[in-house]
Amino acid sequence: MDTRRDIYQAIADPTRRAILMLLTVGAMTPNTIAGHFGSSRQAVSKHIQILAECGAVDQDQRGREIYYQLNIDKMKEIDRWMEAFRKMWEDRFNRLDNLLNDL
């Protein structure tokens, strides 16, 4: 699948990260998602569109409603990228613990 947007650019926005967190509980319609924010449905729809363009969310047409859900594979991609940083910080904290224990 050729995506037009970068996932990291998409998750840089706090509203889009909040939308992703909402979708961890399950699929939702744009109206349901918009109900959790103080902005217009159109603004939330734009955020959803960006998340869909980078593959972070998938859409499922159910009758007249469109439901959006997390694309778990895309979230795993982010997790794999962040793993190197987690290991680096864990190593630094472990060295700091060792230094403090030696004092």
Side-chain angles (χ1 to χ4, degrees):
M1 179 172 131
D2 182 27
T3 56
R4 293 180 8 206
R5 293 193 187 261
D6 180 82
I7 184 65
Y8 304 104
Q9 176 189 23
I11 65 172
D13 184 274
T15 301
R16 291 192 283 271
R17 288 193 307 268
I19 290 170
L20 292 173
M21 290 301 297
L22 274 175
L23 294 176
T24 61
V25 266
M28 295 182 186
T29 64
N31 283 334
T32 304
I33 295 168
H36 292 273
F37 297 94
S39 53
S40 69
R41 186 194 179 286
Q42 291 81 11
V44 171
S45 289
K46 180 64 178 169
H47 286 295
I48 294 169
Q49 177 186 357
I50 291 168
L51 290 169
E53 287 176 357
C54 71
V57 297
D58 296 321
Q59 65 181 39
D60 180 27
Q61 183 85 35
R62 299 179 195 169
R64 296 178 68 180
E65 294 285 345
I66 297 175
Y67 285 80
Y68 289 91
Q69 60 195 17
L70 280 178
N71 177 342
I72 300 303
D73 290 334
K74 196 55 124 169
M75 297 298 106
K76 287 178 183 177
E77 178 184 319
I78 296 167
D79 185 55
R80 284 189 300 273
W81 182 79
M82 293 200 55
E83 182 63 26
F85 296 99
R86 264 193 295 277
K87 287 180 181 179
M88 176 189 66
W89 281 109
E90 286 174 7
D91 180 54
R92 288 182 181 188
F93 284 128
N94 286 336
R95 285 189 285 161
L96 179 60
D97 281 344
N98 292 337
L99 178 69
L100 293 174
N101 287 332
D102 290 344
L103 291 179

